[in-house]
């Protein structure tokens, strides 16, 4: 069973909250579904309960940083269908997306990727902190690395800082 709820967070971001039985690769599949529909994840929070139910909230924007699918009901319905397929079937046919061009203004900001592991911050889990330059599909690529390595993500917090 997948539960989806859409709303507005602030005035310019689309919030998608979902819950589904957790499984290896669920986070990667959901982030892939979102990226394949052309949405960028401005923020995300995921939690997995002890019985194995995943609760995910994604704050979505379009490539220009505006509310995703604002006024476009068909695009929002397509995202819902893609998310349902990704959550329940563990796969879907992603759309082929054209490469995003980087503006001259954006190109001057250099963000060096960084990864930090912390085994002391939690008694039960390893905390991994990742820093990198945002782009559509980044969170999916990171989640897929974890899924491929058979590493279960129990909680995640993602934020786009501009």
């Amino acid at each position: 069973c997948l539960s989806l709820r859409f709303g507005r967070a602030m005035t310019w971001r689309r919030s998608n909250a979902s819950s589904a039985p957790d499984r290896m690769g669920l986070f990667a599949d959901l982030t892939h579904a979102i990226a394949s529909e052309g949405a960028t994840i401005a923020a995300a929070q995921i939690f997995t309960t002890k019985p194995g139910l995943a609760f995910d909230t994604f704050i979505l924007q379009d490539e220009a940083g505006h509310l995703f699918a604002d006024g476009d009901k068909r695009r929002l319905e397509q995202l819902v269908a893609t998310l349902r397929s990704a959550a329940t079937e563990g796969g879907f046919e992603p759309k082929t997306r054209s490469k995003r061009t980087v503006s001259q203004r954006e190109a001057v900001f250099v963000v060096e990727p960084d990864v930090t592991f912390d085994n002391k911050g939690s008694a039960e889990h390893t905390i991994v902190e990742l820093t990198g330059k945002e782009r559509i599909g980044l969170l999916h690529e990171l989640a897929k690395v974890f899924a491929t390595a058979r590493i279960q993500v129990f909680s995640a917090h993602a934020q786009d800082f501009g």
Side-chain angles (χ1 to χ4, degrees), residues 2-142:
L2 173 68
S3 168
L4 292 172
R5 182 175 45 92
F6 286 89
R8 288 183 183 236
M10 301 165 91
T11 57
W12 52 276
R13 294 180 177 187
R14 168 97 43 217
S15 173
N16 167 34
S18 66
S19 62
D22 198 15
R23 61 172 168 74
M24 184 62 67
L26 175 62
F27 186 51
D29 287 343
L30 292 175
T31 56
H32 189 200
I34 290 167
S36 77
E37 292 299 326
T40 186
I41 300 170
Q45 292 188 348
I46 72 160
F47 303 98
T48 303
T49 65
K50 291 280 185 195
L53 189 62
F55 291 94
D56 304 331
T57 301
F58 299 96
I59 307 296
L60 307 180
Q61 298 175 324
D62 64 16
E63 292 181 29
H66 300 109
L67 178 65
F68 179 76
D70 193 22
D72 189 344
K73 186 177 178 182
R74 186 206 54 78
R75 191 171 184 198
L76 196 55
E77 288 171 349
Q78 180 59 44
L79 174 64
V80 169
T82 302
L83 283 168
R84 284 190 194 283
S85 176
T88 58
E89 300 165 19
F92 59 96
E93 291 298 320
K95 295 178 180 177
T96 303
R97 301 210 57 88
S98 60
K99 291 250 182 198
R100 180 177 171 258
T101 58
V102 178
S103 70
Q104 288 181 336
R105 181 178 175 272
E106 187 180 3
V108 299
F109 293 99
V110 177
V111 178
E112 292 296 327
D114 187 41
V115 180
T116 305
F117 294 90
D118 177 3
N119 285 318
K120 296 179 182 175
S122 170
E124 297 177 4
H125 306 288
T126 297
I127 298 170
V128 181
E129 183 175 318
L130 305 154
T131 304
K133 191 167 185 176
E134 172 59 359
R135 67 182 182 281
I136 290 179
L138 174 63
L139 198 54
H140 161 67
E141 291 172 19
L142 296 171

